[in-house]
Amino acid sequence: MSQQNTELKKAGLKATLPRIKILEVLENNGHLSAEDIYKELIKLDQDIGLATVYRVLTQFEAAGIVIKHNFEEGRAVYEIVPDEHHDHMVCIDSGEIFEFHDDVIEKRQAEIASKHGFEIVDHSMVLYVKKLK
Amino acid sequence: MSQQNTELKKAGLKATLPRIKILEVLENNGHLSAEDIYKELIKLDQDIGLATVYRVLTQFEAAGIVIKHNFEEGRAVYEIVPDEHHDHMVCIDSGEIFEFHDDVIEKRQAEIASKHGFEIVDHSMVLYVKKLK
DNA sequence: GTCCTTGCAAAGCTTTTGCATCGCT
DNA sequence: AGCGATGCAAAAGCTTTGCAAGGAC
């Protein structure tokens, strides 16, 4: 029994071929849009409909398997939920996406929220950057 | 000559009625979507097309008059560029949006970017929160 | 066999665009 | 008057959904 198979069962989802393949694609590439995944699947000779990709991604998100990001491109990108939380830095010239994590910021965010009488459920932080000359 | 009129001229945009009214609506309400603005305009008896709202918002963004935010709702919201930068806290229960600013975080972000050989062009940070019981 | 899942096509939403008309300067 | 701005409607993404057929358990 494959690794993906187990992960899906654990989430209460039937281990179907589309779901296994989509999980594989996400594990081998980070930050893909639904369309990106669809194209990857075609490259792998998997005849999976785009609608299915969307449906599966929605289920994966609900199951906590993937995170959906809305960067500023008008389409969502997905990544497997990382073991350790991280934020993103997007290079506006190359489009590359870097990940980072900073405890000082995380701690400060929690303090700010609680000072206002809230607790943090989730957060998103994206730095749009360009290379230093 | 009105305040809006001056602001528009300064940005190199003709002071047309649609632009003046849209600016007014944005100054009286923060964080509105194109549709929200369109509806506000109708309330004010202004017959301005939705397409014009989109076009004007795009121009305002290019001119640095407004900022466009892509929170997680599938549609963009706009606000007048604030004098001092701030970030956002969105209550997932009520939908309310709060603003805050924190120098510790800002400084840290710049350090992180430069450590990776980048400089920050822009950033977005949104905390999704809920009220403490 | 049952119930969930898939594929396809159609529909939904937000946002953009073409084109003739209108309006600021 | 000239040239950009507007309105309307059509089109263009991205994403969701209805329905009949297919697949996992």
Side-chain angles (χ1 to χ4, degrees), chain A residues 35 110 122:
Chain A
E35 185 90 34
D122 193 9

Side-chain angles (χ1 to χ4, degrees), chain B residues 52 57 60 98:
Chain B
T52 298
L57 287 172
F60 281 5
F98 302 91

Side-chain angles (χ1 to χ4, degrees), chain A residues 44-76:
Chain A
L44 300 174
D45 285 313
Q46 298 297 327
D47 237 324
I48 297 173
L50 181 55
T52 299
V53 175
Y54 275 105
R55 267 186 297 233
V56 168
L57 287 172
T58 303
Q59 295 159 347
F60 282 5
E61 195 193 2
I65 297 175
V66 303
I67 302 183
K68 178 181 183 178
H69 295 287
N70 294 279
F71 297 154
E72 322 270 290
E73 315 124 358
R75 72 218 170 103

Side-chain angles (χ1 to χ4, degrees), chain A residues 8-70:
Chain A
L8 289 170
K9 294 270 180 61
K10 206 166 55 188
L13 294 169
K14 279 188 189 170
T16 62
L17 196 60
R19 298 213 262 237
I20 292 168
K21 288 297 171 189
I22 290 171
L23 203 45
E24 265 180 39
V25 168
L26 279 165
E27 276 165 355
N28 297 329
N29 316 264
H31 309 110
L32 298 178
S33 69
E35 185 90 34
D36 292 337
I37 293 170
Y38 177 65
K39 286 188 198 143
E40 278 301 314
L41 291 169
I42 289 173
K43 275 195 213 161
L44 300 174
D45 285 313
Q46 298 297 327
D47 237 324
I48 297 173
L50 181 55
T52 299
V53 175
Y54 275 105
R55 267 186 297 233
V56 168
L57 287 172
T58 303
Q59 295 159 347
F60 282 5
E61 195 193 2
I65 297 175
V66 303
I67 302 183
K68 178 181 183 178
H69 295 287
N70 294 279

Side-chain angles (χ1 to χ4, degrees), chain B residues 80-127:
Chain B
I80 299 275
V81 170
D83 291 342
E84 302 213 3
H85 162 78
H86 61 244
D87 293 298
H88 297 91
M89 210 177 322
V90 181
C91 178
I92 58 170
D93 293 324
S94 69
E96 288 169 288
I97 299 175
F98 302 91
E99 302 173 350
F100 70 92
H101 173 88
D102 189 83
D103 282 324
V104 175
I105 292 179
E106 303 279 316
K107 184 152 162 284
R108 197 81 183 137
Q109 288 173 331
E111 284 168 14
I112 291 165
S114 92
K115 193 165 62 188
H116 287 78
F118 291 99
E119 64 180 312
I120 294 184
V121 174
D122 193 9
H123 79 255
S124 97
M125 174 163 76
V126 185
L127 308 183

Side-chain angles (χ1 to χ4, degrees), chain B residues 61-74:
Chain B
E61 196 193 2
I65 297 176
V66 303
I67 302 184
K68 178 182 184 178
H69 295 288
N70 295 278
F71 298 153
E72 322 270 289
E73 314 124 357

